[in-house]
Amino acid sequence: MFKQVGPAPVPADDLAATLAPFGQSRMLPREAYVDPAVFAWEQQAIFSGWTCVGHAADLAATGSQRAVGSGADGVLLVRGDDAEVRAFANSCRHRGHELLACGAETKRRNIVCPYHAWAYRLDGSLRSAPGFGEDAAFDPGEFGLAQLRLVNWHGWLFIDRSGTDTDFAEHVAGLEDVIAPYHPEDLTVVARRIPEKGPQIAKEVAATELRLGDVVIVKAGQSHPPQLISSPDWKYGDIVMVERYIA
């Protein structure tokens, strides 16, 4: 959902050609792709506040951990002992080291920093801090991981890094009745294929032209999707997601 932060800093005359009727329109002007000011506007207007970072099925078991984003926007998703998924800043409270590499996954009983082995419980509280056990002034309760706002909406995980965005119900206002009948919380990712070359997507994943992020859903009555990745275990409701396209 776009934030009301004013128009994008793109030349109006050039943008007019993009908004022309279909068949007469042109691609976005160069500034839309290379101007730092446009990138900053996109970060504020589009990629701030509530952002979808994955599906709960990616963290199926207790102790499942998954890192998304990088740098200041790095997020660690964790399935706790209470079966709840939580989001934390992917940064140790000791030296700020990344807890888990971006895109990596693991399953452990604790969250452990690879730098100085600070260990956290799955709820983000500090379990142990080597070298600080005998420091009377050190309070473990003050050094838990920074937790971020997270909402599990029909299986899709949304986080608000800023902590200041509108209530999530307002963010998805008008969409509940549209999405709920499809029960996306019941979907299960059963396979992911990263082809070595781009053209293999059409050949190995599906006969139709798929794009990044496309989801192929097995239809009722099919033992497996026609011309999809071969598997004897396909069943109604299973999905295959195109994750990356390597040229």
Side-chain angles (χ1 to χ4, degrees):
M1 183 175 294
F2 285 83
K3 309 296 186 301
Q4 299 301 316
V5 296
V10 177
D13 291 343
D14 294 339
L15 192 58
T18 304
L19 300 175
F22 180 75
Q24 304 173 29
S25 58
R26 299 182 179 181
M27 65 184 295
L28 287 167
R30 179 179 182 275
E31 289 82 359
Y33 301 94
V34 300
D35 190 337
V38 175
F39 178 67
W41 179 88
E42 291 176 337
Q43 294 291 81
Q44 183 179 7
I46 304 174
F47 300 108
S48 64
W50 291 109
T51 306
C52 184
V53 292
H55 195 275
D58 290 328
L59 299 126
T62 297
S64 295
Q65 302 171 31
R66 182 182 178 92
V68 296
S70 61
D73 293 329
V75 176
L76 182 66
L77 303 172
V78 180
R79 175 79 69 175
D81 291 309
D82 55 0
E84 292 296 318
V85 177
R86 295 177 176 82
F88 304 102
N90 190 15
S91 176
C92 181
R93 292 296 306 279
H94 183 209
R95 298 294 187 186
H97 195 282
E98 191 176 55
L99 296 165
L100 191 63
C102 176
E105 300 179 8
T106 189
K107 181 175 178 292
R108 306 181 64 170
R109 294 298 304 169
N110 299 293
I111 304 165
V112 182
C113 177
Y115 192 21
H116 290 119
W118 276 39
Y120 303 86
R121 299 177 181 87
L122 299 179
D123 64 1
S125 60
L126 182 64
R127 178 184 291 274
S128 63
F132 288 83
E134 298 179 1
D135 186 348
F138 181 76
D139 181 3
E142 296 181 358
F143 291 90
L145 296 177
Q147 188 165 347
L148 309 175
R149 294 173 75 191
L150 180 146
V151 170
N152 183 338
W153 188 60
H154 294 292
W156 298 109
L157 304 175
F158 287 79
I159 65 165
D160 170 27
R161 295 183 180 90
S162 69
T164 60
D165 202 3
T166 183
D167 184 78
F168 184 77
E170 182 178 342
H171 178 75
V172 295
L175 294 177
E176 179 67 28
D177 292 341
V178 176
I179 300 299
Y182 292 94
H183 302 286
E185 62 273 17
D186 296 329
L187 294 177
T188 301
V189 177
V190 295
R192 287 187 173 94
R193 174 63 61 89
I194 302 176
E196 295 181 0
K197 297 181 180 179
Q200 290 180 332
I201 281 191
K203 181 173 62 177
E204 295 187 6
V205 179
T208 55
E209 295 182 0
L210 292 179
R211 296 165 296 179
L212 297 186
D214 282 352
V215 175
V216 180
I217 304 177
V218 182
K219 302 298 183 180
Q222 293 179 341
S223 59
H224 61 80
Q227 301 185 48
L228 208 60
I229 304 171
S230 177
S231 172
D233 300 321
W234 295 116
K235 59 184 181 297
Y236 175 51
D238 287 347
I239 67 174
V240 169
M241 181 177 292
V242 180
E243 278 206 323
R244 279 199 291 164
Y245 186 98
I246 303 176

